[in-house]
């Protein structure tokens, strides 16, 4: 570790581990409910579990991005974070807002708009908190006068993510307009600016782990984020097919979302090629595995499975079915969850000085969680396709179809158990690293 | 070979053009949404229904316009498909309608709130969604009369209330829900008097039945009983 203020990242990473564990618990509640075992109905009804599950995901990924930024930016800028104490306040505020929102969901306090369930008063606090974060990161880069492509892409990704939160707060009386703006937030986040953040974090990791020249890596970073925006911005159209907007979105959305896999394929090839190019025998092979893994799994989950059901002709029948859940799970896992786990796997040995990166437990965590998530995706996929055929194509009643797919959720819960075992192993390893230590600061030149 | 500045130019140009196109399309879309969604029909009641929809996070289980969770039925055209009486009954006492199935929350809505939600769902169903949800292409073709063709003369037309309420749980000619038994040939098994007392108050006939007491008027009850009796 080069800079003392990089330790702030630890707070965010530990928060990730905690929120991620909680997210899994709520996932199980829903999995069992789908199996017909809705035993918690009176205490945690499905819609509360659902809001909690998805918002915990968003929160822990954001916490991960923030942690990654606090880790990467000092190094790229070659200076300490400005106002490190304020950064701790920013972390605490994020946790307080998050915890309040999650508890509120259980008392019918929310704004029932998919993915944006956080109630309005808390929205303002989120904005303030994120602005503070942007100020700290931006200020650090500004003061250093050393602008690397990686840190600039990261900064603009984070800034745009903050700005794009605002359209979701525009009041409207029309459900169609409501959905329209909601996708500005959700789609332009996950298929737009979050990919900037992803590209930047990946670049940083590849520079560190492979030893390939920064110029080469950063050049390809531009190409890939270029493709991301070329396809992703107008690709938002695939959410506008059937919500009451003009028909031309079918063509525009269909065309551009068909291009979206290109960006993810680029991301995957980028990771693989750079990892092969790097002749350096790096000591943290598991962090490289997570980095390359995020490229590959995001291509399969976000790129390929996304493509598979965003063609308008297909989407007519898959829109609003379990097929979406199939795509969603592997996409978020591959593109963002694995990426956060990669940066944590890279940062922990450097931060604590404990070289536990090549432990068997870590390898076990990597493979078990990936196999578990792949199996979950398959279970969702079979349930989803069955639902589409029986309900949307053959016209069977919704609830009758849900009875038919209950058995697939047994498979899903089994796969989720495997996944959870992998994640427990990862967290176990995280805990074993212990707290960051100032003694490792000596590496500084 | 691509240089770094070339790559940067590609990124900036691509992003700029796509963002511009997206903003222009958004402006155009907003000009067209009022007509496509019948915005002039968004009454105070519809607005209140939307607030209730959001306040209670209905999207946490249901989908509307195909958006939401996949735990409870898609509601875009529920007003057109099931009708007002069914929606009201469902909102008043969700458990009574599907007793052994997935549970819906009991919200204790007031009459006024139920009116608003009905208005909201009615408005939603009338929005032009570019053909969504599509009719199931492989579904058995719906015929007006039921039963074999030679008996068609004895068969009465299907009452609207039957289509809205009864098919939520029962099938007839292969269409409908799977909660209660199929009603094909029911006229052979039960006589008119039995059907009448059964539908009027199912619990009085069979105490442990899961069939709910439906809010039918006398005329509707008579219509349904006659229709069922004709199913031979």
């Amino acid at each position: 570790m080069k800079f003392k203020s990089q330790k702030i990242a630890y707070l965010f990473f530990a928060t990730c581990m905690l929120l991620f564990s909680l997210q899994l618990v709520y996932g199980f509640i829903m999995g069992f409910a789908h199996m017909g075992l809705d035993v918690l109905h009176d205490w945690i009804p499905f819609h509360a579990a659902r809001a909690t599950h998805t918002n915990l995901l968003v929160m822990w990924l954001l916490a991960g991005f923030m942690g990654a930024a606090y880790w990467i930016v000092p190094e790229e800028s070659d200076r300490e974070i400005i106002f490190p104490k304020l950064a701790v306040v920013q972390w605490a505020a994020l946790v307080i807002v998050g915890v309040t929102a999650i508890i509120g969901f259980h008392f019918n306090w929310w704004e029932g708009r998919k993915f944006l369930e956080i109630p309005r008063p808390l929205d303002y606090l989120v904005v303030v908190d994120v602005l503070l974060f942007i100020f700290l990161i931006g200020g650090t880069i500004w003061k250093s006068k050393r602008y690397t492509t990686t840190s600039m892409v990261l900064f603009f990704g984070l800034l745009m993510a903050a700005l794009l939160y605002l359209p979701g707060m525009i009041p409207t009386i029309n459900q169609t307009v409501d959905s329209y703006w909601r996708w500005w937030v959700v789609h332009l986040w996950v298929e737009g600016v979050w990919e900037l953040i992803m590209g930047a974090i990946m670049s940083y990791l590849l520079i560190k782990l492979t030893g390939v020249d920064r110029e080469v890596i950063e050049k390809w970073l531009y190409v890939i984020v270029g493709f991301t925006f070329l396809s992703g911005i107008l690709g938002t159209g695939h959410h506008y097919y059937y919500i009451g907007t003009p028909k031309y979105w079918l063509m525009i959305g269909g065309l551009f979302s068909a291009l979206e896999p290109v960006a993810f394929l680029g991301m995957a090839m980028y990771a693989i090629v750079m990892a092969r190019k790097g002749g350096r025998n790096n000591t943290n092979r598991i962090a490289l595995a997570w980095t390359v893994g995020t490229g590959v799994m995001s291509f399969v989950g976000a790129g390929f499975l996304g493509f598979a059901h965003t063609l308008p002709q297909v989407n007519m029948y898959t829109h609003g079915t379990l097929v979406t859940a199939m795509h969603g799970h592997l996409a978020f896992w591959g593109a963002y969850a694995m990426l956060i786990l990669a940066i944590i796997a890279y940062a922990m040995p450097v931060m604590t000085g404990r070289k536990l990166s090549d432990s068997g437990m870590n390898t076990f965590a990597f493979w078990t969680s990936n196999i578990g998530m792949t199996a979950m995706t398959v279970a969702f996929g079979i349930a989803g396709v069955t639902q589409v055929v029986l309900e949307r194509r053959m016209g069977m009643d919704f609830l009758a179809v849900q009875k038919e797919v209950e058995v697939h959720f047994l498979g899903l819960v089994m796969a989720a158990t495997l996944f959870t075992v992998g994640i427990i192993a990862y967290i176990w390893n995280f805990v074993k690293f212990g707290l960051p230590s100032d003694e490792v600061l000596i590496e500084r030149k | 070979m691509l240089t770094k500045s070339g790559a940067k130019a590609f990124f900036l140009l691509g992003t700029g053009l796509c963002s511009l196109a997206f903003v222009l399309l958004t402006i155009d879309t907003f000009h067209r949404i009022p007509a496509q969604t019948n915005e002039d029909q968004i009454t105070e009641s519809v607005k209140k229904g939307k607030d209730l929809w959001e306040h209670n996070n209905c999207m946490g289980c249901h989908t509307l316009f195909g958006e939401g969770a996949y735990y409870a039925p898609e509601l875009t055209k529920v007003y057109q498909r099931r009708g007002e009486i069914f929606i009201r009954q469902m909102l008043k006492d969700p458990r009574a309608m599907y007793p052994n199935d997935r549970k819906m929350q009991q919200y204790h809505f007031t009459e006024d709130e139920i009116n608003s939600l009905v208005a909201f769902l009615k408005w939603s169903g009338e929005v032009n969604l570019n053909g969504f949800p599509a009719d199931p292409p492989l579904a058995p073709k719906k015929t007006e009369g039921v039963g074999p063709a030679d008996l068609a003369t004895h068969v009465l037309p299907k009452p609207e209330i039957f289509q809205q309420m009864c098919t939520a749980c029962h099938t007839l000619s292969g269409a409908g829900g799977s909660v209660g038994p199929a009603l094909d040939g029911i006229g052979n098994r039960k006589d008119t008097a039995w059907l009448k007392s059964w539908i009027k108050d199912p619990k009085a006939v069979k105490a442990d039945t899961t069939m709910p007491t439906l809010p039918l008027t006398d005329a509707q009850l008579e219509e349904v009983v006659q229709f069922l009796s004709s199913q031979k």
Side-chain angles (χ1 to χ4, degrees), chain A residues 129-140:
Chain A
D129 189 66
V130 172
L131 285 178
L132 178 60
F133 164 73
I134 296 288
F135 163 74
L136 292 167
I137 294 296
T140 306

Side-chain angles (χ1 to χ4, degrees), chain A residues 321-340:
Chain A
T321 65
L322 292 163
V323 170
T324 316
M326 161 195 75
H327 157 57
H329 276 77
L330 199 64
F332 273 104
W333 168 249
Y336 302 118
M338 285 182 76
L339 178 76
I340 305 286

Side-chain angles (χ1 to χ4, degrees), chain A residues 150-392:
Chain A
T150 304
S151 71
M152 291 314 278
V153 171
L154 181 62
F155 175 73
F156 280 106
L158 293 163
L159 179 68
M160 288 306 292
L163 291 178
L164 281 169
Y165 192 66
L166 302 177
M169 293 164 71
I170 298 171
T172 165
I173 55 161
N174 188 325
Q175 183 69 22
T176 298
V177 177
D178 205 306
S179 278
Y180 194 93
W181 288 127
R182 202 161 46 79
W183 289 116
W184 267 54
V185 186
V186 180
H187 176 97
L188 292 180
W189 266 9
V190 299
E191 282 155 83
V193 294
W194 278 21
E195 283 186 55
L196 279 192
I197 302 171
M198 176 190 179
I201 297 176
M202 247 167 120
S203 290
Y204 169 84
L205 286 167
L206 290 172
I207 291 168
K208 292 287 164 185
L209 291 167
T210 65
V212 174
D213 187 51
R214 174 184 287 272
E215 283 299 300
V216 177
I217 287 187
E218 291 188 337
K219 175 175 83 183
W220 290 110
L221 175 62
Y222 272 131
V223 175
I224 286 160
V225 295
F227 271 115
T228 300
F229 278 164
L230 209 61
S231 57
I233 294 174
L234 288 168
T236 316
H238 65 236
H239 299 287
Y240 296 157
Y241 296 160
Y242 308 121
I243 63 163
T245 52
K247 218 163 187 167
Y248 55 65
W249 283 114
L250 268 72
M251 202 181 71
I252 296 165
L255 191 68
F256 283 89
S257 47
L259 291 173
E260 278 188 55
V262 176
F264 283 105
L265 183 64
M267 204 84 87
M269 282 169 49
Y270 174 58
I272 294 169
V273 171
M274 294 304 159
R276 288 178 137 233
K277 239 181 169 177
R280 191 205 287 184
N281 191 9
N282 96 78
T283 50
N284 193 342
R285 287 187 11 228
I286 199 70
L288 189 61
W290 283 108
T291 310
V292 174
T294 198
V296 174
M297 293 304 255
S298 65
F299 169 65
V300 179
F304 174 71
L305 291 180
F307 169 79
H309 87 126
T310 49
L311 292 170
Q313 303 89 322
V314 177
N315 196 250
M316 172 58 91
Y317 298 103
T318 57
H319 183 43
T321 65
L322 292 163
V323 170
T324 316
M326 161 195 75
H327 157 57
H329 276 77
L330 199 64
F332 273 104
W333 168 249
Y336 302 118
M338 285 182 76
L339 178 76
I340 305 286
L341 299 183
I343 183 85
I344 295 177
Y346 168 76
M348 287 310 283
V350 191
M351 205 182 318
T352 61
R354 295 187 187 84
K355 311 245 177 288
L356 296 168
S357 50
D358 267 345
S359 74
M361 184 71 103
N362 244 325
T363 314
F364 174 80
F366 177 82
W367 287 107
T368 311
S369 57
N370 270 296
I371 293 168
M373 180 50 86
T374 308
M376 271 171 78
T377 308
V378 172
F380 264 126
I382 298 172
V385 171
T386 309
Q387 184 192 1
V388 168
V389 171
L390 293 181
E391 187 195 328
R392 299 292 178 85

Side-chain angles (χ1 to χ4, degrees), chain A residues 41 47 108 110 112 149 174 178-180 182-183 218-219 241 245 248-249 319-320 393 400 402-403, chain B residues 2 4 15 26 28-29 36-37 39 50 54-57 65-67 95 101-102 107 130 136 138 178:
Chain A
H41 179 81
H47 61 335
N108 216 19
W110 44 28
T149 300
N174 188 325
D178 205 306
S179 278
Y180 194 93
R182 202 161 46 79
W183 289 116
E218 291 188 337
K219 175 175 83 183
Y241 296 160
T245 52
Y248 55 65
W249 283 114
H319 183 43
R393 307 277 302 170
Q402 292 297 312
K403 278 251 187 305
Chain B
L2 188 67
K4 189 171 167 184
T15 305
T26 296
D28 183 70
T29 299
Q36 191 162 352
T37 62
E39 208 167 81
K50 180 175 180 286
E54 284 169 11
H55 180 76
N56 293 296
N57 192 20
F65 298 174
E67 299 193 324
R95 305 281 170 83
D101 259 290
R102 248 169 223 187
Y107 285 105
N130 299 331
L138 306 176
S178 60

Side-chain angles (χ1 to χ4, degrees), chain B residues 20 35 38 53 73 130 177:
Chain B
L20 183 71
N38 312 310
W53 172 266
N130 299 331

